Amino acid sequence: MAQELSVFGKVTDAENAPLSFVNVLVYKAEADAAFKGTTSDADGSFALKGLEAGTYTLNFSYIGYENLAQTVALSSNKNLGNIVLRENPEMLDETVVTAKLPTIQKSSGKLVFNVENTSFSVGSTMDLLKKTPGVVVIGENIQVKFSAPVIFINGKRVYLSASEVVSLLENTDAANIKSIEVITNPSSKYDADAGTVLNIITSKAISIGYKGSVNATYEQAVYPKYKVGTSHLYKNNWLNFYVGYTYGKRKDYKEDNSYIRFFQPDEVSTKSIWETDFNRTTKYENHNGNAVLDLTLNDKNTLSLTSNVSLTPRVDYSNNGESLIYNPQRQVDSTITTLSSVNFKKNNLNFALDYNRQLNDKGATLSASANYIYYDNSQDQSVSSDYSLANGDFLRNNSFYTESNQGSNIFTGQTDISTGLWGGTFEAGIKFSNVITQSKLDFFDTENNANTFNNTLSDDFNYKENIYAEYINFTKEWDKWSFVSGLRGEYTVIDADSRSLGQVNRQQYFDIFPSVSFHYTINDNNSIGLSYGRSIERPRYQSLNPFKYFITERDFNSGNPNLVPAIEDKIKLTMGHKNKLFFELYYQHVENSLDVLTFQNNDNNTLERTDANMIKSYQYAFDVTYVNSLNSWWWLYLQTSSFYLANEFYASHSAPEKYTNDNFGQYISATNHFAISKDRTFTADLSGLYISKVVIGNRFLKNQNYINISFQKLFWDKRASLTVGVDDVFDTLKDMAMASRYYNQDNYYYVDMENRLFRLGVKYNFGNARLRDNSKQIKTDEGDRLEEK
């Protein structure tokens, strides 16, 4: 075994005063990246251990001082004595007056937003996402080009629902983020269902020591909401240990007003008109924990253990609905008053083991990972409806009670290899995933406060799925050209059974997913690219579950055990100018596209939202993006998209078999980041969004627009921060409307949620602030499909 050697010494200024927290990085001969590092202690001393004999370059850096590089030929332990750093007044002044702003790298199919050590490196990672070009964040919904992206952290997918991901990102310091990759044409090494990817790259931890933070956020809308969190990191030469925890408690209020015009069998004449006022109050609390243990076994081998735990012990819905039923002459015929309560709890436990090995000095690597997810959701619901005449005379009551449970066990394992080939990089890998989901619904009719089991409306649903995947990928760069090409194959076996329906779903299929992209740099100012990718969207497990959730007795949501995967093809042409102005022209086609379709049943006067496969959906779009620092205190990101969207679906409950829902539309968003103070410790963000009418499934969503504003102040050498802001300043998201009008379908609703809210956040960092977290979140496509729609 090679002998392990050490280098030590002391860092001082020209007056011989010790300098603490000086970065000391070690570079191998002719290497561009440091492979080891530390920081000086309070007395200026430092020690670098575990070095083999050889020649190294040591780089000493500290804000306000000139960098110092020293070459060391190491054959035994060496004491470098005093290392003297000299002040650089020009650099110090520059650091105080100006700050580095983020930069963008754009290639065909990928945008890289570099934010490390910039003025954006404050606040949370969720704040950072809101400023990332191409990313739209509305509440807890993260979107890229009208679809929800798959979120990765350092190349690993996160096994959490949308709300749980938001909670973790809000507890992750933006100072720990190196870059955010917005990948609209993922290569074949990504899972086939990753049609769009957000890959958040964290900074590499070099310094040794401990750091931590505490944070709290208060929000006020109709009801208050709050969240508190803390995170801690310890690092030495062979170990990184991170742990984070967040607790959230909130109360939400929602109102909506709906209209349904039911038709006679001729599908022309009006049968009756139903208008309903509905409101829901939700009480929610959640615990999120995240722990990461990274072990450096030696120079070539690393091991990582990661766990994400989300516990939601309480969610309570209190629903109230009042329906007025009119005859065709618009005279009130009768009324229905519905009271409903829903109580559920869920647990989401995720564990991952990752191993990485460096195979040679030329960058060849081998990696293996295993993931396990346990998910449990228990829910009970009671519904009571009173039917009355127009004069208030009571007619009858209908009440029922349901108990349901969904439990899922998911295992995934994969192995990947990467090596140099033909002047480029060749990657290959295999993956296996196993999913077992068991769901149960017990339905009880309620009369005189007694529950009677209803076997006909009760059900057990069991779902099993195995996916076998393999891929190859090749990347090569020339002086002006870059090329990425890959092929992924996936073989899927599905076995789903419903006790009440019998054998409902048996599927076995194999599909291939090619991807290719070219990028050409025309000159220093202009570039062009072309990309094509094929991907798959599998149904969420909840969507396959045939159970019903009732809004009111005659308004409910249901799953569909007969869903099949959707296949997407996307081709895109891109152009860039000076890395500030970008143009994209693209076409997207999705066969058997998945969505929630809303149908009114004119025979029994009900409204059902059900998961369904449409025949196809497609869109054409032309996007223009502009990102630039207009001056030293104003950074601007502007994006517009002109698009045509179309959804073709089977018109259930209508005589004509098919219908196409389509429209032309416009999307405009802008984000402004202002440095109010010279030292950039006081900043402001102003953002706005406009989306014209857009099709969603078989409905239209009316125009939307909003303006958000926030201010942030840093204190105590940037260790503490205070953030104040208002979302939807002018309350323009109020009365968001969705409508469905075709054939014998005529229904719409206006929904008013707590979109306008005041937010106050505080955060304090302690310990060695130069450390970077190894905070990770586990994510896979299998885990994503646990999320409720």
Side-chain angles (χ1 to χ4, degrees):
M1 294 181 63
Q3 182 182 2
E4 292 190 347
L5 305 176
S6 300
V7 176
F8 48 92
K10 183 176 181 179
V11 186
T12 67
D13 62 13
E15 305 297 327
N16 204 33
L19 294 176
S20 59
F21 294 119
V22 174
N23 278 335
V24 186
L25 304 182
V26 183
Y27 295 79
K28 293 182 179 179
E30 298 182 359
D32 295 326
F35 79 99
K36 190 180 288 288
T38 187
T39 57
S40 59
D41 295 332
D43 62 356
S45 62
F46 69 91
L48 294 158
K49 301 178 181 179
L51 299 172
E52 297 179 359
T55 301
Y56 302 95
T57 297
L58 273 60
N59 185 276
F60 300 85
S61 62
Y62 192 64
I63 294 176
Y65 290 78
E66 295 178 353
N67 286 0
L68 177 65
Q70 184 167 333
T71 301
V72 177
L74 197 61
S75 58
S76 60
N77 293 335
K78 178 164 290 193
N79 184 354
L80 298 181
N82 271 17
I83 303 296
V84 180
L85 298 186
R86 303 195 179 279
E87 286 190 13
N88 185 341
E90 293 181 1
M91 189 173 114
L92 182 61
D93 291 341
E94 187 177 290
T95 303
V96 172
V97 175
T98 64
K100 184 180 173 184
L101 288 166
T103 60
I104 287 179
Q105 294 173 282
K106 188 75 167 64
S107 62
S108 184
K110 183 166 77 172
L111 179 147
V112 181
F113 191 44
N114 298 300
V115 295
E116 186 176 25
N117 297 323
T118 70
S119 59
F120 282 29
S121 299
V122 292
S124 71
T125 302
M126 196 65 190
D127 295 329
L128 194 55
L129 275 185
K130 295 176 182 178
K131 304 170 189 173
T132 301
V135 179
V136 177
V137 179
I138 303 177
E140 294 183 342
N141 297 316
I142 303 172
Q143 291 191 340
V144 175
K145 295 189 183 300
F146 299 108
S147 64
V150 180
I151 298 178
F152 283 66
I153 307 293
N154 294 325
K156 301 295 181 183
R157 300 184 71 163
V158 181
Y159 278 155
L160 298 173
S161 69
S163 61
E164 293 163 351
V165 167
V166 168
S167 181
L168 277 173
L169 293 181
E170 287 179 341
N171 198 35
T172 302
D173 195 341
N176 304 318
I177 306 304
K178 179 180 180 181
S179 61
I180 296 177
E181 298 177 346
V182 183
I183 307 173
T184 53
N185 186 45
S187 68
S188 61
K189 70 178 180 180
Y190 292 97
D191 293 309
D193 79 330
T196 303
V197 167
L198 273 183
N199 188 24
I200 301 172
I201 307 297
T202 60
S203 301
K204 185 178 179 181
I206 294 292
S207 301
I208 291 175
Y210 162 80
K211 81 166 187 176
S213 69
V214 291
N215 64 82
T217 301
Y218 170 82
E219 296 176 341
Q220 179 66 53
V222 176
Y223 295 113
K225 313 115 184 9
Y226 66 84
K227 187 178 294 183
V228 294
T230 183
S231 63
H232 305 268
L233 171 71
Y234 172 76
K235 173 179 169 58
N236 61 27
N237 286 324
W238 60 275
L239 177 145
N240 271 21
F241 179 67
Y242 169 88
V243 61
Y245 168 76
T246 304
Y247 171 74
K249 189 172 184 178
R250 59 189 298 135
K251 186 176 181 181
D252 298 322
Y253 183 75
K254 168 190 173 183
E255 284 185 2
D256 65 47
N257 302 303
S258 64
Y259 167 94
I260 309 173
R261 176 191 172 204
F262 289 108
F263 289 83
Q264 299 283 5
D266 62 10
E267 298 195 354
V268 176
S269 305
T270 299
K271 175 183 177 183
S272 61
I273 296 172
W274 295 49
E275 294 183 352
T276 301
D277 291 334
F278 172 85
N279 66 75
R280 172 194 292 163
T281 302
T282 303
K283 297 179 180 179
Y284 169 94
E285 63 177 296
N286 174 257
H287 304 267
N288 269 316
N290 177 221
V292 182
L293 178 64
D294 290 335
L295 301 172
T296 302
L297 305 179
N298 52 45
D299 288 345
K300 296 184 180 296
N301 297 276
T302 61
L303 192 67
S304 178
L305 300 169
T306 306
S307 67
N308 290 321
V309 175
S310 178
L311 306 177
T312 305
R314 175 192 175 196
V315 178
D316 298 329
Y317 291 162
S318 179
N319 301 330
N320 297 280
E322 182 75 30
S323 298
L324 298 178
I325 303 172
Y326 297 87
N327 61 25
Q329 290 75 41
R330 291 292 295 183
Q331 298 169 327
V332 176
D333 179 74
S334 58
T335 67
I336 304 175
T337 301
T338 300
L339 300 178
S340 169
S341 66
V342 182
N343 309 101
F344 72 85
K345 61 180 180 179
K346 64 178 180 178
N347 301 315
N348 193 343
L349 313 178
N350 310 280
F351 305 95
L353 174 65
D354 294 280
Y355 169 74
N356 289 277
R357 176 175 175 80
Q358 183 178 334
L359 299 178
N360 57 37
D361 294 334
K362 296 182 180 179
T365 59
L366 172 69
S367 63
S369 65
N371 301 275
Y372 171 73
I373 307 171
Y374 171 76
Y375 176 84
D376 178 76
N377 187 342
S378 300
Q379 174 179 299
D380 60 75
Q381 179 179 18
S382 62
V383 179
S384 177
S385 298
D386 288 337
Y387 292 74
S388 304
L389 294 174
N391 61 8
D393 290 347
F394 177 78
L395 290 175
R396 62 184 175 88
N397 172 269
N398 186 40
S399 300
F400 58 87
Y401 173 77
T402 64
E403 293 180 348
S404 62
N405 176 264
Q406 178 185 353
S408 298
N409 289 275
I410 301 173
F411 170 79
T412 70
Q414 67 183 80
T415 300
D416 304 272
I417 189 169
S418 175
T419 186
L421 179 68
W422 300 330
T425 301
F426 174 79
E427 299 168 296
I430 57 175
K431 180 180 179 181
F432 168 74
S433 65
N434 170 258
V435 179
I436 299 177
T437 295
Q438 296 177 319
S439 303
K440 182 180 180 65
L441 171 70
D442 290 335
F443 190 101
F444 300 87
D445 295 310
T446 303
E447 188 172 358
N448 297 324
N449 294 321
N451 293 326
T452 303
F453 181 72
N454 187 324
N455 186 65
T456 303
L457 297 179
S458 300
D459 198 6
D460 292 340
F461 179 72
N462 298 319
Y463 180 87
K464 297 180 181 179
E465 176 186 277
N466 289 334
I467 300 176
Y468 307 84
E470 58 287 319
Y471 77 89
I472 56 174
N473 200 70
F474 181 71
T475 304
K476 185 175 175 62
E477 295 184 2
W478 295 271
D479 289 340
K480 292 190 174 184
W481 286 91
S482 65
F483 167 75
V484 181
S485 179
L487 184 66
R488 187 180 185 92
E490 294 192 351
Y491 174 67
T492 304
V493 180
I494 293 174
D495 184 3
D497 288 289
S498 167
R499 178 176 58 81
S500 63
L501 301 178
Q503 179 176 318
V504 294
N505 198 343
R506 296 285 190 274
Q507 297 182 36
Q508 294 185 22
Y509 57 89
F510 174 79
D511 215 330
I512 59 174
F513 304 94
S515 63
V516 62
S517 65
F518 300 88
H519 191 260
Y520 176 66
T521 302
I522 301 172
N523 52 44
D524 290 343
N525 292 330
N526 299 284
S527 62
I528 190 170
L530 181 66
S531 65
Y532 165 77
R534 193 167 193 254
S535 61
I536 187 172
E537 181 185 2
R538 294 186 174 88
R540 301 180 186 275
Y541 311 122
Q542 188 71 22
S543 301
L544 292 162
N545 190 326
F547 303 165
K548 294 180 180 179
Y549 163 68
F550 290 86
I551 309 300
T552 66
E553 180 185 347
R554 295 179 175 273
D555 186 347
F556 54 87
N557 304 329
S558 65
N560 180 359
N562 297 310
L563 295 175
V564 299
I567 302 296
E568 173 191 286
D569 292 277
K570 182 165 55 179
I571 186 168
K572 181 169 62 174
L573 175 68
T574 63
M575 294 185 65
H577 177 66
K578 292 187 176 181
N579 237 17
K580 297 177 181 179
L581 183 61
F582 306 98
F583 303 93
E584 291 186 353
L585 179 66
Y586 65 92
Y587 170 71
Q588 177 189 48
H589 181 277
V590 185
E591 200 73 20
N592 296 320
S593 48
L594 293 160
D595 214 320
V596 176
L597 303 184
T598 301
F599 296 110
Q600 63 187 65
N601 187 320
N602 294 296
D603 295 329
N604 58 21
N605 299 334
T606 59
L607 188 72
E608 178 182 10
R609 282 164 294 276
T610 184
D611 292 273
N613 285 109
M614 294 188 288
I615 300 171
K616 63 182 177 181
S617 61
Y618 51 95
Q619 68 167 307
Y620 305 88
F622 176 65
D623 297 354
V624 180
T625 303
Y626 177 72
V627 183
N628 193 20
S629 299
L630 301 183
N631 49 48
S632 62
W633 53 270
W634 183 7
W635 181 88
L636 171 66
Y637 154 56
L638 178 67
Q639 183 178 39
T640 72
S641 179
S642 303
F643 58 84
Y644 170 77
L645 296 174
N647 294 330
E648 183 181 358
F649 58 91
Y650 292 106
S652 179
H653 302 291
S654 301
E657 184 178 354
K658 301 176 183 178
Y659 186 78
T660 299
N661 206 21
D662 63 342
N663 80 295
F664 289 92
Q666 187 69 41
Y667 162 90
I668 304 172
S669 71
T671 299
N672 300 269
H673 177 71
F674 303 101
I676 299 175
S677 63
K678 274 185 108 177
D679 60 0
R680 294 187 179 273
T681 59
F682 186 26
T683 59
D685 290 304
L686 178 65
S687 61
L689 174 74
Y690 169 80
I691 303 177
S692 65
K693 184 175 74 172
V694 61
V695 297
I696 298 178
N698 62 342
R699 290 190 150 193
F700 284 98
L701 176 65
K702 80 162 191 176
N703 300 358
Q704 298 180 77
N705 65 89
Y706 67 79
I707 291 177
N708 298 340
I709 188 169
S710 66
F711 299 89
Q712 184 172 71
K713 176 62 180 174
L714 305 180
F715 303 94
W716 305 328
D717 196 24
K718 299 185 180 180
R719 285 186 174 272
S721 65
L722 174 68
T723 304
V724 178
V726 177
D727 287 356
D728 192 17
V729 175
F730 300 106
D731 203 19
T732 48
L733 290 176
K734 183 178 181 180
D735 292 334
M736 181 177 65
M738 293 193 72
S740 180
R741 287 192 176 96
Y742 63 92
Y743 303 149
N744 65 345
Q745 302 288 301
D746 185 3
N747 57 81
Y748 65 82
Y749 73 88
Y750 290 93
V751 59
D752 184 11
M753 303 177 67
E754 294 180 291
N755 292 301
R756 182 167 65 176
L757 56 85
F758 168 80
R759 180 182 293 109
L760 174 67
V762 294
K763 184 168 187 176
Y764 179 71
N765 300 303
F766 46 88
N768 183 358
R770 294 177 181 274
L771 282 169
R772 305 296 185 196
D773 288 355
N774 58 339
S775 170
K776 299 176 186 175
Q777 295 142 4
I778 316 166
K779 189 172 183 77
T780 68
D781 53 326
E782 295 78 20
D784 293 341
R785 292 160 62 198
L786 290 169
E787 300 175 20
E788 297 88 352
K789 282 203 165 186

